[in-house]
Amino acid sequence: MVAPLNRRSLLKASAVATAGQFVGSTALAYEEEDGVETAVRIRRDEYGVPHVYARDGRGPEPVFYGYGYATARDRLYQLELYRRYYHGTVAAVLGEEWIEFDREARINHDSAIPLAEQIETQLEDEHRAVLRAYADGINRHIEDVRSGESDRPGFHRGFVEHDFEPEPWDPVDVAGVFVATMAFFSGVNLEGLNAAVLAGLEAEYDEETAWALFEDLQWGDDPDAPTSGDVPNPGFTPPTAAAGIYADRISDGETNDVSNRVTGGEYRLSSDPAGTFERQQERLGTLVDGAHELGIPTTVGSNALVVHGDVTESGDHLLMGGPQMEFSTPSVMYEVGLHGPDFDVAGITVTGYPAIMFGHNGDGSFTSTAGIDKSIQTFVESIRTAEDGPAKYEFGGEWYEMDEDEQCIEVADAEDVTHTVRRTRHGVVTDYDPDAGEAIAQTRAFDGRDMRCFRAFYDAQFADDVESYGEAARQCDYALNFMWAGEGGIGFFHLGRYPDFESVPWDTRLPADGTEHELTDDDFLRAADGEVPYSINPPVGYSAQWNNKPAPDWDNGDRSYSWGVDHRVQRFINLVEHELETTGSVSYDNLKQMVYDTSFVDLRAIRYKPFLLEALDGADLSETESEAKAALEAWDDYGQADGEDYMGTYPPGYTVFDAFFPRLMERTFAPTFGEQFESAMTFLDFRYGRATLMRALYPEETALETAVDYFDGDRDAVFREAFQEAVAELEEEYGLDVDDWRADVAVDDLENVVLFGMPVGVGDAGELPFMNRGTENHFVRIGDEVVCAENVLPPGNSGYVSPDGEPAPHYDDQLDLFLAFEYKELLFEDGEVAAATVDQRVLRPDADGCDRAADPSESASGTD
């Protein structure tokens, strides 16, 4: 193996678990390079979760062959559309309404180094072999369906409805699925919005005032922002719960002391910043809103918590993970167990990845979150067209030809169309405006480095301690965080490759001048070189993550508004600290309680409701306003509806506060930001936290001052007026009786969409009440061995719908568990997998080496 396991307790039940004891299974034959066949057996538990075994394999390839087969059996249509999203070939099967989607997908996935070349140059033999084996497994399932050897009655109904069948897969297709989804987490930049807002402010104010107001939205470094690498970050602590004592509890840790702070400098706005941003939004809408009838999660995040055994109730290390990629049918996620000659890993991953992202092996548990860091720098290019060749762009006083790649987009129900992808020395061109003589190009820090990121995930799943996990993780050039709990303790690793703010002469919050500047390799800080934050066994004894700042003195440029004094991760920090202060330790059950808490707690109310109640004390209120105030006081600050599965109505206190808060934001900030208020609300009312409001309310305590007094000297009046306006509108909507002010629950529809707006066919699993919760949740308690591990993945592990519209049995069988905050075992060892295996279908090789279906008498079930 690339990172072989040094397992302390390898399958403690293996001595009694033999192949014959597994009641339900699929057995395949994987042909090694010399023609020798290795048995591959797929065993499924009562939730349809596959466990792939190939103990006799010479390497991991047979296991990943079976893994590809199992995934295709459950999620083939989803895989197919992921693949087409990467290649930009959706219109070829779904029709002309997807032409623009394909255009933007091709720009989004354009790379300086073709993926096939990356596979050859950035991976080792094992990685390449695994990609091939996984693709072969998918192909094997496709052929089994075509030949009638599969237990599936045909291809997913999505194929039937759109009258096409999948073509064979290759390693580039598999790698492309990884790139198409994972690069999204590094692919969001806001320099265009920043430029538009700054230009708008400059039109209303003098330069100094405009810049000061801009920095209230994009402040660079906030010393009060909570961090994961140094918990907690020194500074002001918002009142979210009893905070605790923040003591140093463990020793001998390792935290690298690195800095990357916005230093200011030059920038270049386009000739029409608002128009440039509007076009950017239209293009994003093609991939987001334009596909939103099909759906696309745009609020990706994730939360995680690791706790060192020295501060836990049991003395074991603990891990909780909750990747947030929204909800769909089928889920973005897929669960699997992988069991090879020298490795065992079980957990969850994004569908189609030949690696487990969230789970554990025998030595440790692991999870990851989005890094929300500065991965993209926008450059404004000066361009001119040419009648006899490619357009040209200016750099350093010279004019250079753009690279132009004219491509054909096939269309199922119309004429094919051509599409041109352009590149400059700065990267792919995302906005081409020859009439204005300008273009926008992006330098993506991860451009051409995608397979380094794949190998980080692949190698990390086989780590045997926190050091080897960190070594594997730091290969990644995407903006991600990796976390570990197990052998060697706990670890937090912020990953990626970022412009060194001190090495560039422009302000990285804004577009740079492409005629003068560029980013070279020497201008980047990289995790692999030890230049990006990480922390192993931090003194405080735990590390909390919810897409927050990784460490003090580390900024994220154009996205600095997302790391401020008010940040949602503070809830986890305070809950842990409260537990340590009151009981002296953190338990496995505490982690589950924290997931429940953060799913429903209103992060606005626990920070800002006290100010409202203070403003209302002693105020001259009407009878209805007094009753609304009483409802606020009685409300427990949880946005939790009544009724079965929390699908009823919210309590009156929540209804009042939810109506009040947007009016507070408008009354506080609209007078100052004027015409830029709506754009500014992207920063001011961000779901991760509302740091500008927090700073305005605590001007003496917080590190950063605001440009103006947004309350104009009368904070209580602003709060009261927003409250009274909300009450008046609620009275008109619901009547005079405040007890009747019960808003209907907000819901997440489990529609037929998967990550990035791709349809999955027919049949959905209904809806969920809105919860600020992971798409799946997993928990691991691990000491010298895995003591317990649980997870839940709604709506279910299968996404198959038969040609006649019948969903598979495991299509939505975890939904009730999820709604009840209950969890199933994350199976791992041979014995427990054997005991849980329920379905059986066996394929055996014929004497001539061809596979055939087993005798029906050997099949207990042909179902999912």
Side-chain angles (χ1 to χ4, degrees):
M1 298 297 300
V2 172
L5 294 182
N6 178 17
R7 197 171 302 289
R8 268 197 282 256
S9 178
L10 179 63
L11 303 174
K12 60 184 179 182
S14 62
V16 297
T18 64
Q21 288 177 294
F22 288 88
V23 178
S25 61
T26 299
L28 308 173
Y30 176 80
E31 186 173 335
E32 305 276 4
E33 288 187 359
D34 58 4
V36 174
E37 289 183 336
T38 297
V40 181
R41 187 175 294 269
I42 303 171
R43 299 153 179 160
R44 292 180 179 267
D45 66 18
E46 61 180 313
Y47 291 99
V49 175
H51 281 260
V52 185
Y53 285 84
R55 293 291 191 209
D56 297 328
R58 299 174 185 175
E61 296 93 329
V63 173
F64 284 84
Y65 173 76
Y67 178 17
Y69 182 94
T71 307
R73 180 178 179 273
D74 294 329
R75 304 289 188 90
L76 182 59
Y77 191 61
Q78 185 177 8
L79 290 175
E80 176 67 21
L81 288 169
Y82 277 163
R83 168 168 67 167
R84 289 186 174 277
Y85 171 50
Y86 171 73
H87 290 294
T89 58
V90 178
V93 294
L94 300 190
E96 62 180 332
E97 67 180 290
W98 291 88
I99 292 172
E100 293 306 313
F101 186 91
D102 282 348
R103 289 186 194 276
E104 297 308 322
R106 294 182 187 207
I107 292 174
N108 226 31
H109 302 142
D110 184 74
S111 176
I113 302 175
L115 203 47
E117 183 179 340
Q118 290 188 43
I119 291 172
E120 289 304 312
T121 59
Q122 296 174 17
L123 301 182
E124 297 182 8
D125 289 343
E126 179 180 317
H127 305 112
R128 289 188 287 269
V130 161
L131 290 174
R132 166 54 66 189
Y134 190 89
D136 287 345
I138 296 173
N139 292 334
R140 165 64 192 277
H141 174 72
I142 292 171
E143 290 307 312
D144 280 2
V145 174
R146 287 199 176 108
S147 67
E149 295 294 319
S150 172
D151 60 333
R152 296 301 194 199
F155 287 117
H156 185 286
R157 184 167 177 79
F159 290 107
V160 177
E161 286 188 345
H162 296 289
D163 194 26
F164 77 103
E165 290 187 357
E167 296 296 325
W169 283 60
D170 61 28
V172 170
D173 292 327
V174 177
V177 168
F178 174 84
V179 173
T181 50
M182 189 48 60
F184 179 82
F185 295 95
S186 291
V188 177
N189 75 305
L190 290 176
E191 290 148 20
L193 174 57
N194 292 345
V197 170
L198 178 59
L201 291 172
E202 288 177 338
E204 294 188 42
Y205 294 97
D206 63 79
E207 183 178 353
E208 182 179 354
T209 302
W211 187 257
L213 290 173
F214 173 73
E215 290 203 310
D216 273 357
L217 306 176
Q218 289 280 21
W219 45 78
D221 177 53
D222 184 346
D224 292 326
T227 66
S228 296
D230 181 9
V231 183
N233 195 38
F236 173 69
T237 302
T240 59
I245 52 179
Y246 300 121
D248 287 352
R249 304 177 179 97
I250 59 176
S251 58
D252 301 324
E254 176 185 350
T255 299
N256 65 335
D257 184 18
V258 294
S259 174
N260 199 26
R261 299 179 63 176
V262 170
T263 56
E266 306 170 17
Y267 57 88
R268 176 183 173 184
L269 307 186
S270 69
S271 58
D272 180 15
T276 300
F277 175 65
E278 184 177 348
R279 289 193 299 274
Q280 178 186 5
Q281 288 301 95
E282 289 174 355
R283 289 190 299 275
L284 180 61
T286 300
L287 292 176
V288 183
D289 298 330
H292 224 320
E293 61 185 86
L294 308 168
I296 174 171
T298 57
T299 53
V300 291
S302 295
N303 54 51
L305 177 68
V306 289
V307 187
H308 195 281
D310 284 358
V311 299
T312 66
E313 182 182 58
S314 64
D316 301 317
H317 305 304
L318 303 177
L319 176 143
M320 176 276 290
Q324 292 182 285
M325 302 183 195
E326 296 194 353
F327 300 99
S328 60
T329 309
S331 174
V332 173
M333 303 295 186
Y334 184 73
E335 182 180 351
V336 69
L338 306 177
H339 309 274
D342 59 354
F343 66 88
D344 294 271
V345 192
I348 309 94
T349 194
V350 171
T351 302
Y353 286 14
I356 291 176
M357 302 168 65
F358 317 103
H360 68 86
N361 56 38
D363 295 308
S365 56
F366 43 84
T367 192
S368 59
T369 69
I372 317 295
D373 209 337
K374 175 68 179 179
S375 286
I376 297 176
Q377 176 63 56
T378 294
F379 289 87
V380 179
E381 310 274 21
S382 295
I383 66 169
R384 63 188 183 195
T385 57
E387 294 182 1
D388 56 350
K392 295 184 177 182
Y393 67 96
E394 183 184 2
F395 181 76
E398 302 289 335
W399 288 88
Y400 298 86
E401 288 189 347
M402 288 186 179
D403 293 329
E404 295 187 349
D405 180 15
E406 189 171 288
Q407 304 173 359
C408 175
I409 298 178
E410 296 182 16
V411 186
D413 54 358
E415 294 292 323
D416 296 347
V417 298
T418 58
H419 169 65
T420 302
V421 177
R422 298 178 174 87
R423 293 183 72 91
T424 71
R425 71 194 314 113
H426 299 109
V428 67
V429 173
T430 60
D431 184 67
Y432 182 66
D433 188 3
D435 292 338
E438 291 179 339
I440 301 295
Q442 290 183 348
T443 296
R444 299 168 179 168
F446 51 87
D447 188 12
R449 297 168 172 266
D450 305 276
M451 289 298 92
R452 298 181 189 274
C453 307
F454 162 68
R455 68 180 291 168
F457 274 107
Y458 180 84
D459 293 353
Q461 68 187 331
F462 300 120
D464 56 13
D465 61 19
V466 66
E467 295 286 351
S468 62
Y469 180 78
E471 182 178 354
R474 283 190 286 261
Q475 298 173 98
C476 182
D477 288 321
Y478 290 152
L480 298 171
N481 301 297
F482 277 30
M483 300 180 77
W484 168 274
E487 178 64 24
I490 62 174
F492 162 79
F493 304 90
H494 188 61
L495 312 176
R497 185 171 179 260
Y498 306 107
D500 182 351
F501 295 162
E502 294 186 356
S503 297
V504 298
W506 64 85
D507 191 312
T508 55
R509 292 170 291 184
L510 293 161
D513 187 347
T515 68
E516 297 183 15
H517 304 301
E518 66 178 335
L519 280 165
T520 68
D521 285 346
D522 292 338
D523 297 322
F524 286 97
L525 303 177
R526 187 171 178 234
D529 298 325
E531 300 168 331
V532 175
Y534 69 86
S535 180
I536 297 173
N537 296 326
V540 76
Y542 63 91
S543 183
Q545 235 298 309
W546 208 350
N547 314 115
N548 53 284
K549 189 175 182 177
D553 299 324
W554 189 268
D555 299 346
N556 56 349
D558 59 304
R559 305 179 77 179
S560 62
Y561 75 102
S562 64
W563 293 349
V565 61
D566 179 8
H567 197 286
R568 59 188 185 177
V569 76
Q570 191 72 47
R571 183 65 174 182
F572 281 120
I573 293 173
N574 286 10
L575 290 173
V576 171
E577 287 291 335
H578 179 72
E579 199 64 32
L580 290 172
E581 185 177 39
T582 55
T583 70
S585 64
V586 178
S587 72
Y588 182 79
D589 285 341
N590 286 152
L591 270 58
K592 294 183 178 180
Q593 294 163 4
M594 291 177 194
V595 169
Y596 177 86
D597 175 275
T598 54
S599 294
F600 291 115
V601 71
D602 192 310
L603 295 172
R604 305 166 304 174
I606 59 177
R607 288 157 170 77
Y608 304 115
K609 192 179 79 171
F611 288 95
L612 173 56
L613 294 177
E614 181 180 338
L616 297 179
D617 279 347
D620 183 14
L621 304 178
S622 70
E623 182 178 350
T624 303
E625 290 167 350
S626 295
E627 291 176 1
K629 175 177 177 287
L632 283 171
E633 292 170 327
W635 176 46
D636 62 2
D637 298 344
Y638 284 81
Q640 186 178 77
D642 57 12
E644 185 177 1
D645 295 333
Y646 315 110
M647 288 294 289
T649 58
Y650 291 120
Y654 173 86
T655 304
V656 172
F657 189 84
D658 193 51
F660 151 80
F661 195 78
R663 290 165 177 82
L664 171 68
M665 298 299 286
E666 184 173 1
R667 286 182 172 273
T668 303
F669 295 110
T672 300
F673 285 98
E675 292 184 5
Q676 300 306 308
F677 172 68
E678 291 300 326
S679 296
M681 282 293 281
T682 299
F683 313 114
L684 294 169
D685 198 21
F686 188 48
R687 65 181 293 180
Y688 290 9
R690 298 154 184 89
T692 307
L693 179 61
M694 180 69 73
R695 288 158 50 196
L697 290 168
Y698 289 94
E700 301 299 323
E701 294 88 348
T702 53
L704 300 180
E705 296 181 357
T706 56
V708 298
D709 177 2
Y710 288 103
F711 300 113
D712 198 21
D714 197 347
R715 184 194 71 196
D716 287 352
V718 175
F719 273 76
R720 279 196 305 270
E721 289 163 6
F723 168 78
Q724 290 170 328
E725 182 182 351
V727 168
E729 294 191 14
L730 290 171
E731 184 176 347
E732 183 175 345
E733 180 177 359
Y734 291 101
L736 293 173
D737 190 348
V738 174
D739 286 340
D740 293 335
W741 293 7
R742 298 178 180 273
D744 290 334
V745 66
V747 298
D748 281 318
D749 293 322
L750 288 165
E751 296 176 331
N752 304 129
V753 294
V754 294
L755 201 58
F756 313 124
M758 304 309 304
V760 294
V762 297
D764 60 49
E767 57 189 15
L768 291 167
F770 171 77
M771 294 182 280
N772 197 0
R773 185 179 179 187
T775 306
E776 65 86 27
N777 292 116
H778 56 279
F779 309 88
V780 182
R781 173 183 160 195
I782 183 166
D784 289 339
E785 59 186 16
V786 178
V787 179
C788 57
E790 296 171 284
N791 77 310
V792 63
L793 173 60
N797 212 47
S798 178
Y800 178 74
V801 178
S802 70
D804 63 4
E806 182 68 24
H810 301 298
Y811 199 70
D812 60 2
D813 60 341
Q814 296 186 52
L815 189 54
D816 288 343
L817 284 176
F818 187 78
L819 291 171
F821 286 85
E822 296 178 354
Y823 305 93
K824 63 180 186 59
E825 288 187 65
L826 180 56
L827 302 177
F828 177 67
E829 296 175 347
D830 280 8
E832 61 189 14
V833 174
T837 303
V838 295
D839 293 335
Q840 174 174 282
R841 181 176 184 272
V842 181
L843 300 179
R844 299 183 186 280
D846 287 328
D848 61 4
C850 298
D851 290 318
R852 64 173 178 84
D855 186 275
S857 64
E858 295 178 312
S859 296
S861 172
T863 64
D864 192 75

